[in-house]
Amino acid sequence: MARAVLLLLLVQLLVRGWVSLRGYFYLDDFVFTGRAMEYHAFDPTYLFTAYNSHVMPGSFLWAWATTRLLPLSHPAVVAVCLLLQLVLGWLFYVLLRRVFGSTPLMLVPFTAFLLSPITLPAALWWAAALNQLP
């Protein structure tokens, strides 16, 4: 069972990584990097100003750190997104195990969650990842 879980997590990362690394920044991504260059990390104006009706201070901190440390580095953004997806997948596995016990049937919803196309925009577009992953 543990091997199946690890294999599914790995397959998810390979699929998302393959899709993500074929793209680049798009539209709102440049707005986020531009804003990150204008403000200090913990400036309340930067962190708490709504963007398209979303108040997302954690996402803005992530964008600020990425922009300042590795400006316009798409591979760096992909790496962080994949790491967050890995953590999210593991936490979902822990949740399923606590709810259903360690049964092979729990691999069905686990697989559906990991490979669901509804979460794929977070792998394709940094702005979507900034909204979904944190």
Side-chain angles (χ1 to χ4, degrees):
M1 176 91 132
R3 287 185 182 154
V5 169
L6 292 175
L7 180 65
L8 286 168
L9 287 169
L10 179 64
V11 166
Q12 170 208 219
L13 294 179
L14 288 173
V15 168
R16 290 176 189 279
W18 179 75
V19 169
S20 298
L21 288 172
R22 299 171 65 84
Y24 194 66
F25 297 110
Y26 186 69
L27 295 176
D28 293 338
D29 302 339
F30 294 110
V31 173
F32 292 137
T33 57
R35 288 190 70 230
M37 293 305 290
E38 292 177 19
Y39 294 95
H40 295 287
F42 296 101
D43 184 340
T45 304
Y46 172 61
L47 293 178
F48 298 105
T49 299
Y51 182 77
N52 284 342
S53 301
H54 296 137
V55 178
M56 42 193 206
S59 298
F60 288 151
L61 279 175
W62 174 13
W64 187 91
T66 303
T67 301
R68 294 298 176 110
L69 295 174
L70 297 161
L72 295 178
S73 173
H74 192 257
V77 167
V78 171
V80 173
C81 288
L82 291 177
L83 177 66
L84 289 173
Q85 281 294 150
L86 178 63
V87 170
L88 181 63
W90 179 256
L91 291 175
F92 190 67
Y93 165 71
V94 170
L95 173 74
L96 287 173
R97 197 176 71 210
R98 286 187 183 173
V99 172
F100 298 113
S102 188
T103 174
L105 284 177
M106 68 170 271
L107 292 175
V108 173
F110 185 62
T111 303
F113 174 77
L114 291 180
L115 300 177
S116 172
I118 201 164
T119 60
L120 202 55
L124 298 171
W125 186 17
W126 191 31
L130 285 168
N131 283 302
Q132 289 180 6
L133 292 176

Coordinates of all heavy atoms in Angstrom, one line a residue, residues 15-96:
V15 N 3.5 14.2 -14.0 CA 2.6 14.8 -14.9 C 2.5 16.3 -14.8 O 2.6 17.0 -15.8 CB 1.2 14.2 -14.7 CG1 0.1 14.9 -15.4 CG2 1.2 12.7 -15.1
R16 N 2.4 16.8 -13.6 CA 2.4 18.2 -13.4 C 3.6 18.9 -13.8 O 3.6 20.0 -14.3 CB 2.0 18.5 -11.9 CG 0.6 18.2 -11.5 CD 0.4 18.4 -10.0 NE -0.9 17.9 -9.7 CZ -2.1 18.5 -9.8 NH1 -2.1 19.7 -10.4 NH2 -3.2 17.9 -9.5
G17 N 4.8 18.3 -13.5 CA 6.0 18.9 -13.8 C 6.2 19.0 -15.3 O 6.6 20.0 -15.9
W18 N 5.8 17.9 -16.0 CA 5.9 17.8 -17.5 C 5.0 18.9 -18.1 O 5.5 19.7 -19.0 CB 5.5 16.5 -18.0 CG 5.6 16.4 -19.5 CD1 6.7 16.3 -20.3 CD2 4.5 16.4 -20.4 NE1 6.3 16.2 -21.6 CE2 5.0 16.3 -21.7 CE3 3.1 16.5 -20.2 CZ2 4.1 16.2 -22.8 CZ3 2.3 16.4 -21.3 CH2 2.8 16.3 -22.6
V19 N 3.8 19.1 -17.6 CA 2.9 20.1 -18.1 C 3.4 21.5 -17.8 O 3.4 22.4 -18.6 CB 1.5 19.9 -17.6 CG1 0.6 21.0 -17.9 CG2 0.9 18.6 -18.1
S20 N 3.8 21.7 -16.6 CA 4.2 23.0 -16.1 C 5.5 23.5 -16.8 O 5.5 24.7 -17.1 CB 4.5 23.0 -14.6 OG 3.4 22.6 -13.9
L21 N 6.5 22.7 -17.0 CA 7.7 23.2 -17.5 C 7.6 23.5 -19.0 O 8.5 24.0 -19.6 CB 8.8 22.1 -17.3 CG 9.3 22.1 -15.8 CD1 10.2 20.9 -15.6 CD2 9.9 23.4 -15.4
R22 N 6.5 23.1 -19.6 CA 6.3 23.5 -21.1 C 5.7 24.9 -21.2 O 5.6 25.3 -22.3 CB 5.4 22.4 -21.7 CG 5.9 21.0 -21.6 CD 4.9 20.0 -22.0 NE 4.5 20.0 -23.4 CZ 5.2 19.5 -24.5 NH1 6.3 18.9 -24.2 NH2 4.7 19.6 -25.7
G23 N 5.4 25.5 -20.1 CA 4.8 26.8 -20.2 C 5.7 27.9 -19.7 O 6.9 27.8 -19.5
Y24 N 5.1 29.1 -19.5 CA 5.8 30.2 -18.9 C 4.8 31.1 -18.2 O 3.6 30.8 -18.1 CB 6.5 31.0 -20.1 CG 7.6 32.0 -19.6 CD1 8.7 31.5 -18.9 CD2 7.4 33.3 -19.7 CE1 9.6 32.4 -18.4 CE2 8.3 34.2 -19.2 CZ 9.5 33.8 -18.6 OH 10.4 34.7 -18.1
F25 N 5.3 32.3 -17.8 CA 4.4 33.2 -17.1 C 3.3 33.7 -18.0 O 3.5 33.8 -19.2 CB 5.2 34.4 -16.5 CG 6.1 33.9 -15.4 CD1 7.5 34.0 -15.7 CD2 5.7 33.5 -14.2 CE1 8.4 33.6 -14.7 CE2 6.6 33.1 -13.2 CZ 7.9 33.1 -13.5
Y26 N 2.2 34.2 -17.5 CA 1.1 34.6 -18.3 C 0.3 35.7 -17.5 O 0.0 35.5 -16.4 CB 0.2 33.4 -18.6 CG -0.9 33.6 -19.6 CD1 -0.7 33.9 -20.9 CD2 -2.2 33.6 -19.2 CE1 -1.7 34.1 -21.8 CE2 -3.3 33.8 -20.0 CZ -3.0 34.1 -21.4 OH -4.1 34.3 -22.2
L27 N -0.1 36.7 -18.2 CA -1.0 37.8 -17.7 C -0.8 38.2 -16.3 O 0.1 38.9 -16.0 CB -2.5 37.4 -17.9 CG -2.9 37.2 -19.4 CD1 -4.4 36.7 -19.4 CD2 -2.8 38.5 -20.1
D28 N -1.6 37.7 -15.3 CA -1.6 38.1 -13.9 C -0.2 37.8 -13.3 O 0.2 38.5 -12.3 CB -2.7 37.4 -13.1 CG -4.0 37.9 -13.5 OD1 -4.2 39.0 -14.1 OD2 -5.0 37.1 -13.2
D29 N 0.5 36.8 -13.8 CA 1.8 36.5 -13.2 C 2.7 37.7 -13.3 O 3.5 38.0 -12.3 CB 2.5 35.3 -14.0 CG 1.6 34.1 -14.0 OD1 0.7 34.0 -13.1 OD2 1.8 33.2 -14.8
F30 N 2.7 38.5 -14.4 CA 3.5 39.6 -14.5 C 3.0 40.8 -13.6 O 3.9 41.6 -13.1 CB 3.6 40.1 -16.0 CG 4.2 39.1 -16.9 CD1 3.5 38.4 -17.8 CD2 5.6 38.9 -16.8 CE1 4.1 37.5 -18.6 CE2 6.3 38.0 -17.6 CZ 5.5 37.2 -18.5
V31 N 1.8 40.8 -13.3 CA 1.2 41.8 -12.4 C 1.8 41.5 -11.0 O 2.2 42.4 -10.3 CB -0.3 41.8 -12.4 CG1 -0.8 42.7 -11.3 CG2 -0.9 42.2 -13.7
F32 N 1.7 40.2 -10.6 CA 2.2 39.8 -9.3 C 3.7 40.1 -9.1 O 4.2 40.6 -8.1 CB 2.0 38.4 -9.0 CG 0.5 38.0 -8.9 CD1 -0.1 36.9 -9.4 CD2 -0.3 38.9 -8.1 CE1 -1.4 36.6 -9.3 CE2 -1.7 38.6 -8.0 CZ -2.2 37.5 -8.6
T33 N 4.5 39.8 -10.2 CA 6.0 40.1 -10.1 C 6.2 41.6 -10.1 O 7.1 42.1 -9.3 CB 6.7 39.4 -11.2 OG1 6.2 39.9 -12.5 CG2 6.7 37.9 -11.1
G34 N 5.5 42.3 -10.8 CA 5.6 43.8 -10.8 C 5.3 44.4 -9.5 O 6.0 45.3 -9.0
R35 N 4.2 44.0 -8.9 CA 3.8 44.5 -7.5 C 4.9 44.1 -6.5 O 5.2 44.8 -5.6 CB 2.5 43.9 -7.1 CG 1.3 44.6 -7.9 CD 0.0 44.2 -7.3 NE -0.2 44.9 -6.0 CZ -0.6 44.3 -4.9 NH1 -0.9 43.0 -4.9 NH2 -0.7 44.9 -3.8
A36 N 5.4 42.9 -6.6 CA 6.4 42.4 -5.7 C 7.7 43.2 -5.7 O 8.3 43.4 -4.7 CB 6.8 40.9 -6.0
M37 N 8.0 43.8 -6.9 CA 9.2 44.6 -7.0 C 8.9 46.0 -6.5 O 9.9 46.8 -6.2 CB 9.6 44.7 -8.5 CG 10.2 43.4 -9.0 SD 11.5 42.6 -8.0 CE 12.8 43.8 -8.3
E38 N 7.7 46.4 -6.3 CA 7.3 47.8 -5.9 C 7.3 48.0 -4.4 O 7.4 49.1 -3.9 CB 6.0 48.2 -6.5 CG 6.0 48.4 -8.0 CD 4.6 48.8 -8.5 OE1 3.7 49.2 -7.7 OE2 4.4 48.6 -9.7
Y39 N 7.0 46.9 -3.7 CA 6.8 47.0 -2.2 C 7.8 46.1 -1.4 O 8.4 45.3 -1.9 CB 5.3 46.4 -1.9 CG 4.2 47.3 -2.5 CD1 3.7 47.0 -3.7 CD2 3.8 48.4 -1.8 CE1 2.6 47.7 -4.3 CE2 2.7 49.1 -2.3 CZ 2.2 48.8 -3.6 OH 1.2 49.6 -4.1
H40 N 7.8 46.5 -0.1 CA 8.5 45.6 0.8 C 7.6 44.4 1.2 O 6.4 44.5 1.1 CB 8.9 46.4 2.1 CG 9.8 47.5 1.8 ND1 11.1 47.4 1.6 CD2 9.6 48.9 1.8 CE1 11.7 48.5 1.4 NE2 10.8 49.5 1.5
A41 N 8.2 43.4 1.6 CA 7.5 42.1 1.9 C 6.3 42.3 2.8 O 5.3 41.7 2.6 CB 8.4 41.0 2.4
F42 N 6.5 43.0 3.9 CA 5.5 43.0 4.9 C 4.7 44.4 4.9 O 4.1 44.7 5.9 CB 6.0 42.7 6.3 CG 6.6 41.3 6.4 CD1 7.9 41.0 6.2 CD2 5.7 40.2 6.5 CE1 8.4 39.7 6.3 CE2 6.1 38.9 6.6 CZ 7.5 38.7 6.5
D43 N 4.8 45.1 3.8 CA 4.0 46.3 3.7 C 2.5 46.0 3.7 O 2.1 45.2 2.8 CB 4.4 47.0 2.4 CG 3.8 48.4 2.2 OD1 2.7 48.6 2.9 OD2 4.3 49.2 1.4
P44 N 1.7 46.5 4.6 CA 0.3 46.2 4.6 C -0.4 46.5 3.4 O -1.4 45.8 3.0 CB -0.2 47.0 5.8 CG 0.9 47.3 6.7 CD 2.1 47.3 5.7
T45 N 0.0 47.6 2.7 CA -0.6 48.0 1.4 C -0.4 46.9 0.4 O -1.3 46.5 -0.4 CB 0.0 49.3 0.9 OG1 -0.2 50.3 1.9 CG2 -0.7 49.7 -0.4
Y46 N 0.8 46.3 0.4 CA 1.1 45.2 -0.5 C 0.3 43.9 -0.2 O -0.4 43.3 -1.0 CB 2.6 44.9 -0.6 CG 3.0 43.7 -1.3 CD1 2.7 43.6 -2.7 CD2 3.6 42.6 -0.7 CE1 3.0 42.4 -3.4 CE2 4.0 41.5 -1.4 CZ 3.7 41.4 -2.8 OH 4.1 40.3 -3.5
L47 N 0.3 43.5 1.1 CA -0.2 42.3 1.5 C -1.8 42.2 1.5 O -2.4 41.2 1.3 CB 0.3 41.9 2.9 CG 1.8 41.6 3.0 CD1 2.1 41.3 4.5 CD2 2.1 40.4 2.2
F48 N -2.4 43.4 1.9 CA -3.8 43.3 2.1 C -4.7 44.1 1.1 O -5.9 44.3 1.3 CB -4.1 43.8 3.5 CG -3.5 42.9 4.6 CD1 -2.4 43.3 5.2 CD2 -4.0 41.7 4.8 CE1 -1.8 42.5 6.2 CE2 -3.5 40.8 5.7 CZ -2.3 41.3 6.4
T49 N -4.1 44.6 0.0 CA -4.8 45.2 -1.1 C -5.4 44.0 -1.9 O -4.7 43.2 -2.4 CB -3.9 46.1 -1.9 OG1 -3.5 47.1 -1.1 CG2 -4.7 46.7 -3.1
A50 N -6.7 44.1 -2.1 CA -7.3 43.0 -2.9 C -6.9 43.1 -4.4 O -6.8 44.2 -4.9 CB -8.9 43.1 -2.8
Y51 N -6.7 41.9 -5.0 CA -6.5 41.8 -6.4 C -7.6 41.0 -7.0 O -7.8 39.8 -6.6 CB -5.1 41.1 -6.6 CG -4.8 41.0 -8.1 CD1 -4.4 42.2 -8.8 CD2 -5.0 39.9 -8.8 CE1 -4.1 42.1 -10.2 CE2 -4.7 39.8 -10.2 CZ -4.3 40.9 -10.8 OH -4.1 40.8 -12.2
N52 N -8.4 41.6 -7.9 CA -9.6 40.9 -8.4 C -10.5 40.4 -7.3 O -10.9 39.2 -7.4 CB -9.2 39.9 -9.4 CG -8.8 40.4 -10.8 OD1 -9.0 41.6 -11.1 ND2 -8.1 39.6 -11.5
S53 N -10.7 41.1 -6.3 CA -11.5 40.8 -5.2 C -11.0 39.7 -4.3 O -11.7 39.1 -3.5 CB -13.0 40.4 -5.6 OG -13.5 41.5 -6.3
H54 N -9.7 39.4 -4.4 CA -9.1 38.4 -3.6 C -8.0 39.0 -2.7 O -7.2 39.8 -3.1 CB -8.3 37.3 -4.4 CG -9.2 36.5 -5.3 ND1 -8.8 36.2 -6.6 CD2 -10.4 35.9 -5.1 CE1 -9.8 35.5 -7.1 NE2 -10.7 35.3 -6.2
V55 N -8.2 38.8 -1.4 CA -7.2 39.3 -0.4 C -6.4 38.0 -0.1 O -6.9 37.1 0.4 CB -7.8 39.8 0.9 CG1 -6.8 40.2 1.9 CG2 -8.7 41.0 0.5
M56 N -5.1 38.1 -0.5 CA -4.3 36.8 -0.4 C -2.9 37.2 0.1 O -1.9 37.1 -0.7 CB -4.3 36.1 -1.7 CG -4.2 37.0 -2.9 SD -4.5 36.0 -4.4 CE -3.6 36.9 -5.6
P57 N -2.7 37.5 1.3 CA -1.4 37.9 1.8 C -0.4 36.8 1.7 O 0.8 37.1 1.4 CB -1.6 38.3 3.3 CG -3.0 37.8 3.6 CD -3.7 37.6 2.4
G58 N -0.7 35.6 2.0 CA 0.2 34.5 1.9 C 0.7 34.3 0.5 O 1.9 34.1 0.2
S59 N -0.2 34.4 -0.5 CA 0.2 34.3 -1.9 C 1.1 35.5 -2.3 O 2.1 35.3 -3.1 CB -1.0 34.3 -2.8 OG -1.8 33.2 -2.5
F60 N 0.8 36.7 -1.8 CA 1.7 37.8 -2.1 C 3.1 37.6 -1.5 O 4.1 38.0 -2.1 CB 1.0 39.1 -1.7 CG -0.2 39.5 -2.5 CD1 -1.2 40.3 -1.9 CD2 -0.2 39.2 -3.8 CE1 -2.3 40.7 -2.7 CE2 -1.3 39.6 -4.6 CZ -2.3 40.3 -4.0
L61 N 3.2 37.1 -0.3 CA 4.5 36.8 0.2 C 5.3 35.8 -0.6 O 6.5 35.9 -0.8 CB 4.4 36.3 1.7 CG 4.2 37.3 2.7 CD1 3.9 36.7 4.1 CD2 5.4 38.3 2.8
W62 N 4.5 34.8 -1.1 CA 5.2 33.8 -1.9 C 5.7 34.4 -3.2 O 6.8 34.2 -3.7 CB 4.2 32.7 -2.2 CG 4.6 31.6 -3.2 CD1 5.8 31.4 -3.7 CD2 3.7 30.7 -3.8 NE1 5.8 30.3 -4.6 CE2 4.5 29.9 -4.7 CE3 2.4 30.4 -3.8 CZ2 4.0 28.8 -5.5 CZ3 1.9 29.4 -4.5 CH2 2.7 28.6 -5.3
A63 N 4.8 35.3 -3.8 CA 5.2 36.0 -5.1 C 6.4 36.9 -4.8 O 7.3 37.0 -5.6 CB 4.0 36.7 -5.6
W64 N 6.4 37.6 -3.7 CA 7.4 38.5 -3.3 C 8.8 37.8 -3.2 O 9.8 38.2 -3.8 CB 7.1 39.3 -2.0 CG 8.1 40.3 -1.7 CD1 8.0 41.6 -2.1 CD2 9.3 40.2 -1.0 NE1 9.1 42.3 -1.6 CE2 9.9 41.4 -0.9 CE3 9.9 39.1 -0.3 CZ2 11.1 41.7 -0.3 CZ3 11.1 39.3 0.3 CH2 11.7 40.6 0.3
A65 N 8.8 36.7 -2.4 CA 10.0 35.9 -2.2 C 10.5 35.3 -3.5 O 11.7 35.4 -3.8 CB 9.7 34.8 -1.2
T66 N 9.7 34.8 -4.3 CA 10.1 34.2 -5.6 C 10.6 35.3 -6.5 O 11.7 35.1 -7.1 CB 8.9 33.5 -6.3 OG1 8.4 32.5 -5.4 CG2 9.4 32.8 -7.6
T67 N 10.0 36.4 -6.6 CA 10.4 37.5 -7.5 C 11.7 38.1 -7.0 O 12.6 38.4 -7.8 CB 9.3 38.6 -7.5 OG1 8.1 38.0 -8.0 CG2 9.7 39.7 -8.4
R68 N 11.9 38.2 -5.7 CA 13.1 38.8 -5.2 C 14.3 37.9 -5.3 O 15.4 38.3 -5.6 CB 12.9 39.3 -3.8 CG 11.9 40.5 -3.6 CD 12.4 41.7 -4.4 NE 11.5 42.8 -4.4 CZ 11.7 43.9 -3.7 NH1 12.8 44.1 -3.0 NH2 10.8 44.9 -3.7
L69 N 14.1 36.6 -5.0 CA 15.2 35.6 -5.0 C 15.6 35.1 -6.4 O 16.7 35.0 -6.7 CB 14.8 34.4 -4.1 CG 14.6 34.7 -2.6 CD1 14.1 33.5 -1.9 CD2 15.9 35.2 -2.0
L70 N 14.6 34.8 -7.2 CA 14.8 34.3 -8.5 C 13.8 35.0 -9.5 O 12.8 34.4 -9.9 CB 14.6 32.8 -8.5 CG 15.6 32.0 -7.7 CD1 15.0 30.6 -7.4 CD2 16.9 31.9 -8.3
P71 N 14.1 36.2 -9.9 CA 13.1 36.9 -10.7 C 12.9 36.3 -12.0 O 13.8 35.9 -12.7 CB 13.8 38.3 -10.9 CG 15.2 38.2 -10.4 CD 15.3 37.0 -9.6
L72 N 11.6 36.1 -12.4 CA 11.1 35.5 -13.6 C 11.8 34.2 -13.9 O 12.0 33.8 -15.0 CB 11.4 36.5 -14.8 CG 10.6 37.8 -14.7 CD1 10.9 38.7 -15.9 CD2 9.1 37.5 -14.7
S73 N 12.0 33.4 -12.8 CA 12.5 32.0 -13.0 C 11.3 31.1 -13.0 O 10.8 30.7 -11.9 CB 13.5 31.7 -11.9 OG 13.8 30.3 -12.0
H74 N 10.8 30.7 -14.1 CA 9.7 29.8 -14.2 C 10.0 28.4 -13.6 O 9.2 27.9 -12.9 CB 9.2 29.6 -15.6 CG 7.9 29.0 -15.8 ND1 7.8 27.7 -16.2 CD2 6.7 29.4 -15.5 CE1 6.6 27.3 -16.1 NE2 5.8 28.3 -15.7
P75 N 11.2 27.9 -13.8 CA 11.5 26.6 -13.1 C 11.4 26.7 -11.6 O 11.0 25.7 -10.9 CB 12.9 26.3 -13.5 CG 13.1 26.9 -14.9 CD 12.3 28.2 -14.7
A76 N 11.8 27.8 -11.0 CA 11.7 28.0 -9.5 C 10.2 28.0 -9.1 O 9.9 27.4 -8.1 CB 12.3 29.3 -9.1
V77 N 9.4 28.6 -9.9 CA 7.9 28.6 -9.6 C 7.4 27.2 -9.7 O 6.6 26.8 -8.8 CB 7.2 29.6 -10.5 CG1 5.7 29.4 -10.4 CG2 7.5 31.1 -10.2
V78 N 7.8 26.5 -10.7 CA 7.3 25.1 -10.9 C 7.8 24.3 -9.7 O 7.0 23.5 -9.2 CB 7.8 24.6 -12.2 CG1 7.5 23.1 -12.3 CG2 7.1 25.3 -13.4
A79 N 9.0 24.4 -9.3 CA 9.5 23.6 -8.2 C 8.7 23.8 -6.9 O 8.4 22.9 -6.2 CB 11.0 23.9 -8.0
V80 N 8.4 25.1 -6.6 CA 7.6 25.4 -5.4 C 6.2 24.8 -5.5 O 5.7 24.2 -4.6 CB 7.6 26.9 -5.1 CG1 6.7 27.2 -4.0 CG2 9.0 27.4 -4.8
C81 N 5.6 25.0 -6.7 CA 4.3 24.4 -6.9 C 4.3 22.9 -6.8 O 3.3 22.4 -6.2 CB 3.8 24.8 -8.3 SG 3.3 26.5 -8.5
L82 N 5.3 22.2 -7.3 CA 5.3 20.8 -7.2 C 5.5 20.4 -5.7 O 4.9 19.4 -5.2 CB 6.5 20.2 -8.0 CG 6.2 20.3 -9.5 CD1 7.4 19.8 -10.3 CD2 5.0 19.5 -9.9
L83 N 6.4 21.1 -5.0 CA 6.5 20.8 -3.6 C 5.2 21.0 -2.8 O 4.9 20.1 -2.0 CB 7.6 21.7 -3.0 CG 7.9 21.6 -1.5 CD1 8.4 20.2 -1.2 CD2 8.8 22.7 -1.0
L84 N 4.5 22.1 -3.1 CA 3.2 22.3 -2.4 C 2.2 21.2 -2.8 O 1.4 20.7 -2.0 CB 2.7 23.7 -2.7 CG 3.4 24.8 -2.1 CD1 2.9 26.2 -2.6 CD2 3.3 24.8 -0.6
Q85 N 2.2 20.8 -4.1 CA 1.3 19.7 -4.5 C 1.7 18.4 -3.8 O 0.8 17.6 -3.4 CB 1.4 19.5 -6.0 CG 0.6 20.4 -6.8 CD -0.9 20.3 -6.6 OE1 -1.6 21.3 -6.7 NE2 -1.4 19.2 -6.3
L86 N 3.0 18.1 -3.6 CA 3.4 16.9 -2.9 C 2.9 17.0 -1.4 O 2.3 16.0 -0.9 CB 4.9 16.8 -2.9 CG 5.5 15.6 -2.2 CD1 5.0 14.3 -2.8 CD2 7.0 15.7 -2.2
V87 N 3.1 18.1 -0.8 CA 2.6 18.2 0.6 C 1.1 18.1 0.7 O 0.5 17.3 1.5 CB 3.0 19.6 1.2 CG1 2.3 19.9 2.5 CG2 4.5 19.6 1.4
L88 N 0.4 18.7 -0.3 CA -1.1 18.6 -0.3 C -1.5 17.1 -0.5 O -2.4 16.6 0.1 CB -1.6 19.5 -1.4 CG -3.1 19.5 -1.6 CD1 -3.8 20.1 -0.4 CD2 -3.5 20.4 -2.8
G89 N -0.9 16.4 -1.5 CA -1.2 15.1 -1.7 C -1.0 14.2 -0.5 O -1.8 13.3 -0.2
W90 N 0.1 14.4 0.2 CA 0.4 13.6 1.4 C -0.6 13.9 2.5 O -1.1 13.0 3.1 CB 1.8 13.9 1.9 CG 2.1 13.1 3.1 CD1 2.2 13.6 4.4 CD2 2.4 11.7 3.2 NE1 2.5 12.6 5.3 CE2 2.6 11.4 4.5 CE3 2.5 10.7 2.2 CZ2 2.9 10.1 5.0 CZ3 2.8 9.4 2.7 CH2 3.0 9.1 4.0
L91 N -1.0 15.1 2.7 CA -2.0 15.5 3.7 C -3.3 14.9 3.4 O -4.0 14.4 4.3 CB -2.1 17.0 3.9 CG -0.9 17.7 4.5 CD1 -1.0 19.2 4.5 CD2 -0.6 17.1 5.9
F92 N -3.7 14.8 2.1 CA -4.9 14.2 1.7 C -4.9 12.7 2.0 O -5.9 12.1 2.4 CB -5.2 14.5 0.2 CG -6.6 14.0 -0.2 CD1 -7.7 14.7 0.4 CD2 -6.8 13.0 -1.1 CE1 -9.0 14.3 0.0 CE2 -8.1 12.6 -1.4 CZ -9.2 13.2 -0.9
Y93 N -3.7 12.1 1.7 CA -3.6 10.7 2.1 C -3.8 10.4 3.5 O -4.4 9.5 4.0 CB -2.2 10.2 1.6 CG -1.8 8.8 2.2 CD1 -2.4 7.7 1.8 CD2 -0.8 8.8 3.2 CE1 -2.1 6.4 2.4 CE2 -0.5 7.5 3.8 CZ -1.1 6.4 3.4 OH -0.8 5.2 3.9
V94 N -3.1 11.3 4.4 CA -3.3 11.1 5.8 C -4.8 11.3 6.2 O -5.3 10.5 7.0 CB -2.4 12.2 6.6 CG1 -2.7 12.2 8.0 CG2 -0.9 11.9 6.3
L95 N -5.4 12.2 5.6 CA -6.9 12.4 5.9 C -7.7 11.2 5.5 O -8.5 10.7 6.3 CB -7.4 13.6 5.1 CG -8.9 13.8 5.2 CD1 -9.3 14.4 6.5 CD2 -9.4 14.8 4.1
L96 N -7.4 10.6 4.3 CA -8.2 9.4 3.9 C -7.9 8.3 4.8 O -8.8 7.5 5.2 CB -7.8 9.1 2.5 CG -8.4 10.0 1.4 CD1 -7.8 9.6 0.0 CD2 -9.9 9.9 1.4

